[in-house]
Amino acid sequence: MFEGRPDRDDEIVLVGRSNVGKSTIMRELTGHSVPTGQKPGVTREPNHFDWSGQSFMFTDLPGFGFMSGVEGEHREAIQTDIVHYIENNAESILAAVLVVDGKSVIDIIDRHSDRGEIPHDVEMYHFLEELGVPTVVAVNKMDKVDDKDERLNDLCDRLGLFPPWQQWDEEVIAPITAKAGRIDSLRTALQGHIRDAKRDELLQFVTA
């Protein structure tokens, strides 16, 4: 079980598979470096970034799914801890950012579906939805995607959202390239959720 959560009333959490760029997004949002690496699974515990003047923080949760050099049993334990963290703090989560790799997400989802398994990304999206946590799907690494509209429409389809993706682009679907600092669509979506929560004083933290 994750321990040591800072005493903050509200947070925005980043969740997703290993190596999809959550820590890079965290760096773009906070302006501070957090541990990143080429190997999946660098983040094994939540990384919290908070401000002393506001009862608010960003939380980068560990990646789920395959991690090089990490045994299956430990991977499952991390995923269970992620689920418990979100459940236990759902009322404090202003928004969850589900980060996916725009280049590979459809293949990964379909591979698991073809095996008769529920894909982790889809399962996490619906889990957050059931908890009533406002969720933005940050589709990262879009600079590597040629058929952008087709790929994003396919993602909507896999998540149970009606295409075209553009009807969700200021609320649910945010195509980004975090490594190049292009996360404006994510910032816009988070601004909307902060306004919905009547916490306008926190807009400064999601404005470039």
Side-chain angles (χ1 to χ4, degrees):
M1 194 69 166
F2 301 141
E3 297 176 358
R5 180 186 183 274
D7 184 18
R8 293 291 181 267
D9 291 335
D10 294 308
E11 65 182 307
I12 290 173
V13 301
L14 277 65
V15 64
R17 288 181 173 277
S18 298
N19 218 29
V20 292
K22 295 187 304 301
S23 298
T24 304
I25 294 169
M26 183 85 155
R27 186 182 66 218
E28 288 298 320
L29 287 168
T30 65
H32 290 262
S33 292
V34 292
T36 61
Q38 293 300 313
K39 283 180 66 176
V42 169
T43 307
R44 303 283 178 88
E45 291 283 331
N47 281 319
H48 303 286
F49 191 89
D50 60 352
W51 289 264
S52 57
Q54 293 280 0
S55 191
F56 168 75
M57 64 182 174
F58 286 103
T59 298
D60 175 20
L61 290 167
F64 53 72
F66 175 76
M67 285 176 265
S68 177
V70 180
E71 293 180 7
E73 193 174 308
H74 188 55
R75 290 200 299 267
E76 288 177 19
I78 290 174
Q79 187 154 336
T80 299
D81 286 346
I82 293 167
V83 166
H84 286 160
Y85 183 93
I86 293 171
E87 280 180 332
N88 293 340
N89 298 293
E91 291 187 8
S92 302
I93 299 174
L94 296 175
V97 180
L98 174 58
V99 186
V100 300
D101 183 328
K103 189 170 173 61
S104 64
V105 64
I106 301 301
D107 291 339
I108 291 171
I109 287 174
D110 289 351
R111 192 161 62 239
H112 283 271
S113 296
D114 289 346
R115 290 188 205 138
E117 303 167 358
I118 300 174
H120 290 319
D121 302 287
V122 175
E123 188 175 34
M124 181 60 70
Y125 179 78
H126 291 298
F127 169 66
L128 291 164
E129 195 175 45
E130 285 168 17
L131 286 178
V133 174
T135 304
V136 182
V137 182
V139 192
N140 195 20
K141 308 183 185 182
M142 288 301 290
D143 57 320
K144 299 178 180 177
V145 175
D146 296 326
D147 50 346
K148 174 182 167 180
D149 288 336
E150 183 181 343
R151 185 68 53 90
L152 293 172
N153 285 338
D154 285 346
L155 180 58
C156 283
D157 177 68
R158 304 306 191 271
L159 294 175
L161 301 169
F162 290 110
W165 73 271
Q166 287 91 340
Q167 67 183 317
W168 307 101
D169 72 340
E170 293 219 346
E171 181 187 358
V172 178
I173 304 291
I176 61 171
T177 302
K179 207 168 186 180
R182 296 198 292 271
I183 65 165
D184 285 353
S185 59
L186 174 59
R187 292 186 194 279
T188 299
L190 291 177
Q191 287 164 13
H193 290 306
I194 286 172
R195 288 192 182 99
D196 289 345
K198 308 283 195 291
R199 294 299 307 274
D200 286 19
E201 71 276 14
L202 300 179
L203 288 170
Q204 60 183 307
F205 300 121
V206 292
T207 303

